[in-house]
Amino acid sequence: MTSPTFAGRYARRFTAPSVIPGFGLTFGYTILYLGLVVLFPLATLVWRSSGLGLSGLYQIATEPRVAAALHTTFLMSFLAAVVDLVFGLIVAWALTRYNFPGRRLFDAFVDLPFALPTAVAGISLAALYAPNGWFGAPLADVDVKIAFTRWGILVALIFIGLPFVVRTVQPILSELEIELEEASATLGASRVQTVVRVLLPPLAPALLTGFALAFARGVGEYGSVIFISGNIAYVSEIAPLLIIVKLEQYDYAGATGIATIMLAISFVALLVINLVQAWSRKRFGYV
């Protein structure tokens, strides 16, 4: 008698009865929903851009204006995600580990970028960091300009990405027992050693998830950026805005090509982040 193949074993495992009924219905609905809402639009985009071919996509990507916009978009999104990673951890730590007056109010403020329209956020940030704004005027006195430059893009992306890191790290911090930190201190570890060896390992998957979410949100952000960036070609123009410009010029092939290039780069970046996240979970035992 021959041993069952891998496909056969997997099929039996996949169709094994479950205590919870309705697997077939819910699984079918999940596939249908993801297909219609996510996969079908992305497949349509790839199909529309397939007429350009790899050479056409390469030609679009290497256009000076497109290359500058892509570089600005992904670089600023990455830097903003790094800043959010650091300060999001600090904010989550303060909200979780300390009791102080107004803690719940500050905790609610973290979610404001979620609820606030991006255009409102962009106008507010532009008013604050303009040369005559509350923050922009003192900075202008020392010859530092934020609004209508790349730094304005960074500020906007930090603003809209911070809640993703805080909300992914905060539940994990709440579950970590304070006794672990006390035991580490009792055994003679310094505060830095406690953070690096006791706290960061279980937080690594959540930190990577928050980083990925902040980075992905930054890449696709439009409303809050266009008001503060200045939208100067080759300097502070982002790729989503360039797609709109191409559409207004009836250059549908160019707009589709830029969108496909952004999709490919974002997919590779998120794939790498997810692989690192999976490795960190296995490495530190948090599967």
Side-chain angles (χ1 to χ4, degrees):
M1 183 176 180
T2 60
S3 60
T5 63
F6 173 78
R9 293 196 302 268
Y10 182 79
R12 285 198 298 272
R13 180 182 177 185
F14 184 77
T15 58
S18 174
V19 177
I20 303 176
F23 169 76
L25 180 62
T26 55
F27 180 75
Y29 174 79
T30 301
I31 297 300
L32 177 64
Y33 186 84
L34 289 177
L36 292 177
V37 177
V38 179
L39 298 180
F40 184 73
L42 295 181
T44 302
L45 174 65
V46 175
W47 176 74
R48 288 290 300 271
S49 62
S50 62
L52 299 171
L54 293 178
S55 59
L57 290 175
Y58 178 79
Q59 184 177 1
I60 293 174
T62 53
E63 289 180 9
R65 186 176 180 181
V66 175
L70 290 172
H71 179 264
T72 298
T73 299
F74 285 96
L75 176 62
M76 293 297 106
S77 299
F78 178 81
L79 294 178
V82 171
V83 174
D84 286 332
L85 187 68
V86 176
F87 290 96
L89 175 60
I90 295 174
V91 171
W93 178 269
L95 294 175
T96 304
R97 284 292 190 263
Y98 304 108
N99 290 319
F100 53 89
R103 182 174 66 88
R104 292 187 177 182
L105 183 62
F106 283 106
D107 190 37
F109 283 160
V110 172
D111 293 327
L112 272 180
F114 286 148
L116 196 66
T118 55
V120 176
I123 294 173
S124 302
L125 292 173
L128 285 174
Y129 287 94
N132 59 347
W134 288 356
F135 298 161
L139 292 173
D141 293 338
V142 293
D143 200 24
V144 176
K145 187 177 180 181
I146 300 296
F148 317 123
T149 66
R150 278 189 172 186
W151 300 116
I153 300 175
L154 182 65
V155 169
L157 296 185
I158 291 173
F159 174 81
I160 57 97
L162 181 65
F164 290 97
V165 178
V166 176
R167 292 311 184 210
T168 53
V169 174
Q170 196 172 1
I172 308 301
L173 273 175
S174 300
E175 295 178 359
L176 289 180
E177 299 177 357
I178 301 180
E179 288 76 9
L180 294 176
E181 305 165 32
E182 296 175 349
S184 176
T186 303
L187 294 174
S190 64
R191 293 185 177 181
V192 175
Q193 290 175 327
T194 300
V195 171
V196 174
R197 297 183 180 181
V198 178
L199 298 178
L200 286 185
L203 289 176
L207 288 171
L208 287 172
T209 300
F211 175 85
L213 292 174
F215 174 77
R217 174 67 189 275
V219 169
E221 181 60 21
Y222 176 80
S224 63
V225 174
I226 59 174
F227 289 98
I228 194 174
S229 65
N231 307 318
I232 304 173
Y234 306 99
V235 177
S236 60
E237 187 178 50
I238 58 174
L241 176 62
L242 188 55
I243 293 176
I244 300 297
V245 172
K246 294 287 186 180
L247 291 175
E248 291 176 346
Q249 297 173 350
Y250 301 101
D251 184 6
Y252 299 114
T256 304
I258 297 173
T260 304
I261 294 168
M262 290 187 66
L263 174 63
I265 297 176
S266 300
F267 178 79
V268 172
L270 292 178
L271 178 62
V272 171
I273 293 172
N274 283 323
L275 290 176
V276 174
Q277 185 183 30
W279 172 84
S280 66
R281 285 177 175 173
K282 293 181 179 179
R283 170 65 175 80
F284 299 113
Y286 293 88
V287 182

